[in-house]
């Protein structure tokens, strides 16, 4: 469980950096295809983070029920 929490935290930090980049000046100067790919990457990173968070919630739920 600790590994998944660490992975989620690392991914969240990467999502924040990518989001900042997408909102910046350099992003707007990229080719359209590159911009589209980065936005798609952000979408999939969000989905992956959602899955990790669901797994963390399931771990927590199991621990609460075991106690």
């Amino acid at each position: 469980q600790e590994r998944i929490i660490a992975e989620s935290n690392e991914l969240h930090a990467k999502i924040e950096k990518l989001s900042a980049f997408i909102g910046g000046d350099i992003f707007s100067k990229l080719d359209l295809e590159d911009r589209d790919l980065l936005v798609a990457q952000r979408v999939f990173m969000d989905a992956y983070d959602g899955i990790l968070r669901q797994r963390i919630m399931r771990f927590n739920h199991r621990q609460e029920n075991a106690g």
Side-chain angles (χ1 to χ4, degrees):
Q1 176 183 357
E2 291 178 20
R3 181 184 62 80
I4 294 173
I5 292 171
E7 186 174 348
S8 179
N9 290 339
E10 291 170 13
L11 181 58
H12 188 72
K14 290 178 182 180
I15 290 170
E16 287 182 356
K17 288 178 184 178
L18 180 55
S19 295
F21 180 76
I22 288 172
D25 294 334
I26 295 173
F27 178 79
S28 63
K29 296 175 185 173
L30 296 175
D31 292 337
L32 178 60
E33 186 174 358
D34 291 325
R35 291 193 312 255
D36 287 345
L37 288 169
L38 287 168
V39 169
Q41 179 178 334
R42 170 70 162 63
V43 168
F44 282 100
M45 290 169 77
D46 279 334
Y48 181 40
D49 188 45
I51 291 167
L52 292 176
R53 291 178 187 274
Q54 286 179 5
R55 291 181 65 197
I56 291 166
M57 286 177 18
R58 287 181 51 79
F59 282 129
N60 291 338
H61 182 70
R62 279 188 229 139
Q63 287 178 349
E64 290 171 2
N65 289 339

